Amino acid sequence: YEEKGTVKMINSLSAELDVLRPSMLESGLQSIGFNLNRKNNDLKFFEFGKIYHQTEGGFTETPMLGIWITGLINKPGWKEKENTADFFYLKGILSNICRRLGAGEPEYRPEGHRQLTDYATISLHGKNIGHIGAVNLETLKQTDIKAREVWYAEIQWNDLIALTPHKHQYHEISRFPAVERDLALVVDRKITYSQMRETVANLKLTQLKSIHLFDIFESDKLGAGKKSLALRFVFQDQHKTLTDQEIEIMMNQLVSAFEKTVNAEIRK
């Protein structure tokens, strides 16, 4: 089998190695298979590399970051239970990379990739920069990985860097206390957390420092096709202590925006 658009080598060492790598995925799976055969089951790999695709009159060379995880992400102990690698763990890694580079929070849209299931397209400031998901069974079988879930993400590195500010800005930690407010909203089950974050971002509340989803609840008691999302908001000002009235005004703005954009209702 030869993937369409691959770049063939003129003087290859073997028939199995006669094209330049068109994808990061398979080389990482080979390393995972090698380790699994030696009973090394809990793995977190990353690689910076290049992939190649044929174009009219030449080929493209694209720098990529690939990340593979499988098995346990921590060893169980007296203080904590074991946790298995999943979509949200890998998503957290990607979000941290983007935030540390100063590029902002990426969005994850449920768009496909032919070798992944439970997938999403990673986008930043409206530009698609990669994919995330579980490697499908057909692809795993090609590298003799059996009864094993492997999570994979890839980022087009130059696209990410192009969206990263050239200067990092720092400011003094506020001497004034942060204030937390929780809000439970009933929305349609199709509404995503990314949509909720986008609604908040559009308000441009400078004193809103963070938003965190801490609970999801689904029940027929909420209504057909409904779910409840519990959000925690953290407010803080650099120059003064926020008053209850100021916080209430911002909370009302948030509620109004959620009602208009995602048809949300406050859960009481």
Side-chain angles (χ1 to χ4, degrees), residues 177-194:
V179 179
E180 294 183 356
R181 289 288 187 273
D182 294 345
L183 184 64
L185 297 165
V186 178
V187 297
D188 189 280
R189 283 181 181 173
K190 295 181 180 179
I191 297 299
T192 64
Y193 180 49
S194 293

Side-chain angles (χ1 to χ4, degrees), residues 119-267:
Y119 46 68
T121 292
I122 309 162
S123 64
L124 196 61
H125 307 305
K127 181 179 178 62
N128 292 343
I129 62 170
H131 297 89
I132 178 176
V135 183
N136 63 31
L137 292 177
E138 181 182 354
T139 303
L140 290 177
K141 287 179 181 178
Q142 293 174 1
T143 47
D144 294 326
I145 298 176
K146 301 175 182 178
R148 168 68 50 162
E149 192 172 56
V150 178
W151 292 90
Y152 171 70
E154 61 183 20
I155 290 180
Q156 297 179 33
W157 191 249
N158 284 356
D159 288 347
L160 173 58
I161 296 302
L163 295 168
T164 300
H166 294 293
K167 294 183 179 179
H168 289 79
Q169 295 182 342
Y170 301 88
H171 59 79
E172 183 180 358
I173 296 174
S174 177
R175 294 172 294 168
F176 301 96
V179 179
E180 294 183 356
R181 289 288 187 273
D182 294 345
L183 184 64
L185 297 165
V186 178
V187 297
D188 189 280
R189 283 181 181 173
K190 295 181 180 179
I191 297 299
T192 64
Y193 180 49
S194 293
Q195 289 175 277
M196 307 292 279
R197 288 190 64 93
E198 185 176 354
T199 296
V200 174
N202 288 337
L203 289 175
K204 298 180 180 179
L205 301 175
T206 57
Q207 293 165 320
L208 176 60
K209 299 305 178 184
S210 67
I211 173 176
H212 173 62
L213 173 65
F214 67 89
D215 186 52
I216 300 176
F217 175 71
E218 295 185 3
S219 171
D220 292 337
K221 295 179 181 179
L222 297 173
K226 297 288 186 178
K227 65 181 177 183
S228 172
L229 301 179
L231 304 173
R232 177 162 296 146
F233 303 93
V234 178
F235 301 93
Q236 191 176 39
D237 194 287
Q238 284 291 110
H239 309 291
K240 65 178 181 178
T241 299
L242 291 170
T243 66
D244 289 340
Q245 183 180 7
E246 290 172 324
I247 295 170
E248 193 66 24
I249 289 173
M250 288 186 284
M251 288 299 296
N252 288 336
Q253 288 179 280
L254 289 164
V255 170
S256 178
F258 287 134
E259 289 174 341
K260 292 178 180 178
T261 58
V262 296
N263 198 27
E265 298 177 5
I266 298 177
R267 184 182 172 199

Side-chain angles (χ1 to χ4, degrees), residues 69 85-92 108 117-120 132-134 151:
I69 57 173
D86 59 12
F87 178 93
F88 300 101
Y89 178 77
L90 184 53
K91 174 177 173 285
Y108 301 88
T117 61
D118 297 329
Y119 46 68
I132 178 176
W151 292 90

